[in-house]
Amino acid sequence: MISALNRLVDLVEEHLGEEPDVPALAATLGTTEYHLRRMFSSLAGMPLSEYVRRRRMTVAAADVVRGVDDLLGIAVRYGYGSTEAFGRAFRSVHGAAPRDVRRAGGPLRSQPQLRFRLTVEGSTSMDTRFTDRPAFRLIGHATRVPLIHEGVNPHIQQHIASLPQEAHARLKSLGDTVPAGLLQVSDDVAQDSAEGTELTYLHGVAVSAGTPAPDDLDAIEVPAGTWAVFRSSGAYPDALQATWAATASEWFPSNPWRLRPGPSIVSVLDRAEDFTTATTELWLAVEPASEETR
């Protein structure tokens, strides 16, 4: 089908001035016009007729700007019987009339030629384990920061850098349960997780439910439940962020689990001295998905 769709794109390019003979192409490919058009629309995100119109107007715009032919000649060349019909199609794509574009050189909105390629997802296995944990607490230094999907979050970086060195050692001494070590905790994240929305970030450790938190530290109460733990290694934070994205795009759609209320926790198991690479565990609170949500 990928090859068939690319043949269809080539057919459009070869016959921009007329309607492409989709039924004939479908017959040579052993399929139907309906199926070919439906697959094109699904993968291209637009009907074939819309793509043809955009490509015609993209190529026609070059003729309009060059000004060699009159507008009626250009209209006929691209399958329109009048300058009025051509003008309506041109304006719908470029947002300006052909005469205005000829005079000013723009504005123009081009439609690149499509090319369909096969992309395979889910070919990389994810290192995952499950653990049931009783209720525990997360204690540490919290702040509100904007969510950033890619790269180092400078607001989190600034927050951690503002803590004196003895604060990190103190936190390590307070931790008494898993996840072990210094933790990166994200809580109160917006439901759509849109970039730029605020979340609570806590730099801290996990302690047992009965362990009191010092007055100068913030605390997040974590209820008992199941956790899915995803391990990743590589460039930091790229490998971690790729794993985080893959849980949403690949793991949850393929497994009978869903997120339950709770913070997400990152435990750094090992890292380079300059933190350019690291091995991490991403802890996500999960519960079995009901049949209705699977």
Side-chain angles (χ1 to χ4, degrees), residues 263-276:
S264 57
I265 305 170
V266 173
S267 172
V268 179
L269 304 181
D270 187 32
R271 67 179 180 89
E273 188 173 344
D274 60 0
F275 222 148
T276 55

Side-chain angles (χ1 to χ4, degrees), residues 41 121 149 154 196 226 234 261:
S41 178
E121 295 183 347
H149 289 151
T226 301

Side-chain angles (χ1 to χ4, degrees), residues 81-94:
S82 68
T83 55
E84 289 77 13
F86 175 72
R88 286 193 295 270
F90 193 93
R91 183 185 290 274
S92 70
V93 171
H94 299 292

Side-chain angles (χ1 to χ4, degrees), residues 120-205:
V120 178
E121 295 183 347
S123 59
T124 303
S125 60
M126 299 185 70
D127 186 350
T128 314
R129 63 183 174 88
F130 295 92
T131 180
D132 291 319
R133 298 290 301 133
F136 61 94
R137 311 180 79 192
L138 295 163
I139 62 172
H141 302 274
T143 187
R144 295 287 288 176
V145 300
L147 175 62
I148 294 178
H149 289 151
E150 295 184 12
V152 175
N153 188 318
H155 307 279
I156 292 176
Q157 201 172 37
Q158 182 179 5
H159 172 63
I160 296 173
S162 68
L163 300 175
Q165 193 61 40
E166 55 268 22
H168 305 291
R170 178 193 180 205
L171 285 172
K172 286 182 180 179
S173 69
L174 293 174
D176 64 8
T177 189
V178 294
L182 288 175
L183 307 174
Q184 305 168 12
V185 180
S186 298
D187 193 28
D188 194 23
V189 182
Q191 190 169 10
D192 59 358
S193 297
E195 188 160 33
T197 55
E198 285 200 336
L199 59 92
T200 297
Y201 174 83
L202 181 136
H203 179 73
V205 293

